[in-house]
Amino acid sequence: MSPARRAEIVGAGFAGLSAACALAQRGWQVRVHERADELRTTGAGIYIYENGLRVLRALGAFEEAVEGAPFAHTRQVRDEHDRVLSVHRWDTRTRVLSIVRQQVINALASAARRSGAEIVTRSEAVAATPDGGVSFADGSAAAADLVVAADGTGSRLRDGLGLVATRRALADGAIRLLIPKLADEPPDDGTTIEYWSGSRRILYTPCGQSEVYVALTMLDRDAVAKATPIQTAAWKAWFPHLAGLIDRIGDRGRYDRFEYIRLRRWSAGRVAVLGDAAHALPPNIGQGAGCAMMNALSLAVHLDRHGDIASGLAEWERNERPLTEHTQRVSVLLGLPTTWPAPLRRLAFRLAGRSTWVVRQRTRTAHHRPTGTTE
Ligand SMILES: Cc1cc2nc3c(=O)[nH]c(=O)nc-3n(C[C@H](O)[C@H](O)[C@H](O)COP(=O)(O)OP(=O)(O)OC[C@H]3O[C@@H](n4cnc5c(N)ncnc54)[C@H](O)[C@@H]3O)c2cc1C
């Protein structure tokens, strides 16, 4: 019997942990390196659509990841006068859940460990080489059949391999946070609401049994809006009808600017680049982690079909990249109205909500059956 193939994975986010599960479940000897001292993610919620839910199921993380998370059936866009501009209802074949991020990370980490993967914290990688070498900040090094660079948008491993074709900071960003649910919180009827005022928006999403996920989105040049802790008086002036919600935010929240990343290739020799490191996208259709998890599972599936790493990686990229690039294009496109004058933006949302072509484009990723999922 040939010895198990060995993978060193850098980064324990959605991408790295999903790859750890999928590879370990296919007989690989897997070690995940996380530079932080614990597996911690942004204190926020996340939408996981049907495609991502299927991957979680295939990885054995579904039950723990979704426990208590509500289904989001309907998404409304409202203007600064609280008037509804567009409504999107998901059909029953396409589930969408809003989940506390940390719960998904914990579920993926448990599934990875159950499958035999080792997760090492306080382990920061500094470089990888196409022959499967990886070196660490503490001076140590390792060699593997496969190195997975899942180290996020600022990926040091990717940059060291010279793989970037485009890396662009986008015009907007967001402050994300969770607040405790109140006893008299409006009943959760599966509706998430995105409120607009000028170029600023507030997304309100019930998330789990005890928390509400709030995302404040603004132009990056809007210094008042992107300040943290948030400038309560300014936000209340922009969204007077949401004053109660804004008061509950306090000093919570972290700002991130959106990015778009496109690589020349998704791999170099034995190093595969995965997740935001390979294809960061703005969150306008909530599919960054969805794509990261799909591409992690499919990476393991394609490598399983090939004894030879180069052939497996080539087939993986050929098969999976087109959908990821479609998702990136649609996400960028749907972010464009942020910089438009309000009347034009209102018109765009009304038309986009009614256009079956636009709806088909924006839901294509959610409807996709990811490689490696059987149900
Ligand atoms: C405002 C906002 C809202 C979003 N909403 C959604 C949504 O609703 N649905 C959705 O699917 N996606 C959403 N996304 C996108 C999603 O958050 C990302 O696509 C996802 O987190 C990418 O996962 P990742 O594992 O590739 O990277 P990350 O989550 O960034 O994880 C990378 C990990 O690598 C570690 N690391 C970095 N460098 C090193 C190193 N040198 N050595 C060791 N470890 C290292 C980091 O500490 C981190 O743990 C949103 C993004 C934003 C900004």
Side-chain angles (χ1 to χ4, degrees), residues 11 13-15 34-35 46-47 101 123 125 151 176 275-276 283 286 288-290:
F14 291 91
E34 169 55 50
R35 69 178 169 192
I46 188 159
Y47 293 99
R101 274 177 181 250
S123 181
D151 46 347
R176 287 172 288 170
D276 275 5

Side-chain angles (χ1 to χ4, degrees), residues 9-17 32-36 38-42 44-49 75 97 101 105 120 122-127 136 149-157 173-176 203 213 215-217 254 256-259 274-293:
I9 299 177
V10 176
F14 291 91
L17 290 172
V32 185
H33 301 269
E34 169 55 50
R35 69 178 169 192
E38 54 184 302
L39 303 188
R40 204 175 34 226
T41 179
T42 317
I46 188 159
Y47 293 99
I48 308 274
Y49 289 81
R75 182 167 179 124
L97 289 172
R101 274 177 181 250
I105 291 295
V120 191
R122 294 199 193 101
S123 181
E124 182 178 357
V126 291
F136 298 93
D151 46 347
T153 48
S155 174
R156 203 165 159 178
L157 269 55
I175 298 170
R176 287 172 288 170
L203 177 70
Y213 167 39
L216 314 176
T217 308
R254 142 186 164 161
D256 292 286
R257 188 170 182 178
F258 303 155
E259 280 202 60
L274 191 61
D276 275 5
H279 47 69
L281 67 165
N284 299 315
I285 59 168
Q287 280 288 0
C291 286
M293 294 191 295

